């Protein structure tokens, strides 16, 4: 029997918890967490993600402000905006939606966001903390994947986990988080030779590529746990990386797209925003 992981339901549960926590902080006169999101240009996918994040904040009572900047903005101008938000006591979380236009160096942006406000967990201080198993501001997508696996009691320790993605947003931090839970981790990417050789060994297979039907039935071990973090749009229909209908019966647990990893990323952003707020309260 295959279990389909219900990311939507888990996301709603987390939202309820966050809503209660925000209400409690407010009643204790600690104030209200506030998230500033910077959206540069008008990438249609980024527009959707930012809208979903903003809506989720509002549903939980978190203040959410979106700063829309044109894609002609210079790196220096963007850094100035971030410095302004870093200094603003009423802003507790700062998120710069990726990707950025090619002329802006994302590493410089991540370096500049104050680490206590870095709700994406991309600042080098927070990436460094992840090395030491401190996940308080860990990147949202990996954090959401781990949350789902743990909620569904998937055994991570000793498992062969294959991740297809080596970005700083998903693959690299996820590999660290799995290693700290004693998994044997293989990280594959576009230069990997014979992908199938790797995927067939996976007890837990995590794909985050954005290529529909990349993962077919013949690439999956019987009984594997399959987590689909990919997202693409074909003819207006949202699709993951996994050929869901055919892979489903081969796996023991599988995430759908939509309704799997996506809502978890948003839920983890809410958690990180409250974590950032509480850390700043203590300063
Ligand atoms: N673009 C795709 N995923 C993410 C994410 O988790 N955070 C940000 N800031 N941009 C993204």
């Amino acid at each position: 029997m295959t279990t389909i992981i219900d990311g939507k339901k888990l996301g709603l549960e987390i939202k309820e918890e966050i809503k209660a926590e925000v209400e409690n902080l407010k009643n204790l006169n600690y104030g209200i967490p506030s998230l500033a999101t910077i959206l540069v240009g008008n990438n249609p996918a980024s527009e959707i993600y930012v809208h979903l994040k903003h809506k989720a904040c509002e549903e939980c009572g978190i203040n959410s402000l979106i700063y829309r900047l044109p894609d002609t903005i210079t790196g220096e101008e963007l850094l100035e905006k971030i410095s302004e938000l870093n200094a603003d006591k009423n802003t507790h979380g700062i998120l710069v939606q990726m990707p950025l236009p090619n002329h802006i160096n994302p590493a410089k942006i991540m370096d500049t966001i104050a680490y206590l406000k870095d709700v994406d967990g991309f600042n080098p201080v927070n990436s460094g903390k992840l090395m030491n198993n401190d996940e308080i501001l860990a990147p949202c997508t990996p954090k959401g994947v781990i949350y789902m696996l743990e909620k569904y009691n998937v055994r991570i320790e000793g498992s062969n986990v294959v991740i297809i993605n080596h970005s700083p947003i998903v693959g690299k931090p996820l590999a660290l988080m799995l290693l700290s839970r004693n998994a044997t981790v293989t990280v594959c990417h576009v230069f990997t030779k014979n992908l199938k050789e790797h995927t067939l060994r996976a007890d837990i297979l995590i794909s985050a590529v954005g290529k529909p039907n990349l993962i077919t039935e013949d690439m999956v071990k019987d009984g594997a746990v399959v987590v689909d973090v990919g997202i693409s749009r074909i003819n207006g229909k949202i699709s993951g990386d996994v050929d869901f209908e055919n892979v489903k019966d081969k796996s023991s647990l599988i995430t759908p797209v939509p309704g799997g990893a996506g809502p978890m990323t948003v839920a983890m952003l809410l958690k990180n925003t409250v974590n950032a707020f509480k850390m700043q309260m203590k300063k």
Side-chain angles (χ1 to χ4, degrees), residues 4-135:
I4 298 179
I5 295 179
D6 194 343
K8 197 169 169 192
K9 180 164 156 254
L10 289 182
L12 287 173
E13 283 168 15
I14 296 167
K15 271 197 220 162
E16 284 307 314
E17 286 166 27
I18 298 282
K19 193 173 168 183
E21 192 167 6
V22 169
E23 188 64 29
N24 192 36
L25 288 166
K26 196 167 105 186
N27 291 340
L28 293 170
N29 286 327
Y30 287 119
I32 299 172
S34 186
L35 173 68
T37 300
I38 299 179
L39 177 57
V40 180
N42 35 29
N43 176 315
S46 294
E47 292 271 0
I48 296 172
Y49 295 139
V50 167
H51 169 74
L52 290 173
K53 291 170 183 180
H54 176 74
K55 187 165 148 265
C57 284
E58 287 197 326
E59 283 164 3
C60 296
I62 293 174
N63 289 331
S64 166
L65 275 164
I66 302 175
Y67 295 89
R68 290 174 179 274
L69 303 173
D71 57 11
T72 49
I73 193 169
T74 64
E76 285 67 32
E77 286 167 329
L78 180 54
L79 292 176
E80 263 172 42
K81 183 70 205 168
I82 294 170
S83 300
E84 197 184 292
L85 294 168
N86 280 343
D88 177 13
K89 284 202 161 26
N90 294 319
T91 298
H92 308 100
I94 302 171
L95 182 155
V96 178
Q97 185 64 28
M98 302 289 167
L100 288 168
N102 287 339
H103 65 276
I104 300 178
N105 176 0
K108 208 151 180 199
I109 302 301
M110 293 170 194
D111 282 2
T112 304
I113 296 174
Y115 79 91
L116 286 173
K117 299 190 177 187
D118 171 36
V119 288
D120 259 326
F122 298 157
N123 177 283
V125 174
N126 289 318
S127 330
K129 282 174 181 280
L130 206 53
M131 282 274 185
N132 295 334
N133 306 339
D134 178 345
E135 297 178 358

Side-chain angles (χ1 to χ4, degrees), residues 171-188:
K172 287 184 194 174
L174 183 54
L176 284 179
M177 293 168 88
L178 290 160
L179 283 172
S180 72
R181 290 167 175 78
N182 302 320
T184 302
V185 183
T186 304
V187 182
C188 299

Side-chain angles (χ1 to χ4, degrees), residues 111-249:
D111 282 2
T112 304
I113 296 174
Y115 79 91
L116 286 173
K117 299 190 177 187
D118 171 36
V119 288
D120 259 326
F122 298 157
N123 177 283
V125 174
N126 289 318
S127 330
K129 282 174 181 280
L130 206 53
M131 282 274 185
N132 295 334
N133 306 339
D134 178 345
E135 297 178 358
I136 193 127
L137 289 181
C140 303
T141 300
K143 202 167 175 169
V145 170
I146 298 282
Y147 187 93
M148 273 192 298
L149 294 174
E150 293 186 337
K151 270 283 166 181
Y152 278 80
N153 296 316
V154 173
R155 187 179 170 79
I156 297 176
E157 189 165 83
S159 291
N160 289 330
V161 185
V162 175
I163 305 168
I164 315 174
N165 181 300
H166 70 325
S167 73
I169 297 183
V170 183
K172 287 184 194 174
L174 183 54
L176 284 179
M177 293 168 88
L178 290 160
L179 283 172
S180 72
R181 290 167 175 78
N182 302 320
T184 302
V185 183
T186 304
V187 182
C188 299
H189 44 76
V190 67
F191 294 102
T192 300
K193 292 176 194 148
N194 202 348
L195 181 64
K196 183 173 165 181
E197 208 171 85
H198 296 285
T199 60
L200 275 174
R201 285 203 311 268
D203 301 312
I204 304 172
L205 176 60
I206 304 164
S207 184
V209 177
K211 196 170 168 187
N213 295 325
L214 173 74
I215 306 298
T216 46
E217 189 188 357
D218 57 311
M219 295 170 77
V220 178
K221 186 166 102 169
D222 265 330
V225 173
V226 179
V227 179
D228 193 347
V229 184
I231 186 149
S232 356
R233 192 180 280 268
I234 20 173
N235 302 328
K237 189 173 168 276
I238 302 275
S239 162
D241 291 347
V242 178
D243 174 7
F244 184 82
E245 280 314 315
N246 293 310
V247 169
K248 187 177 65 177
D249 295 333

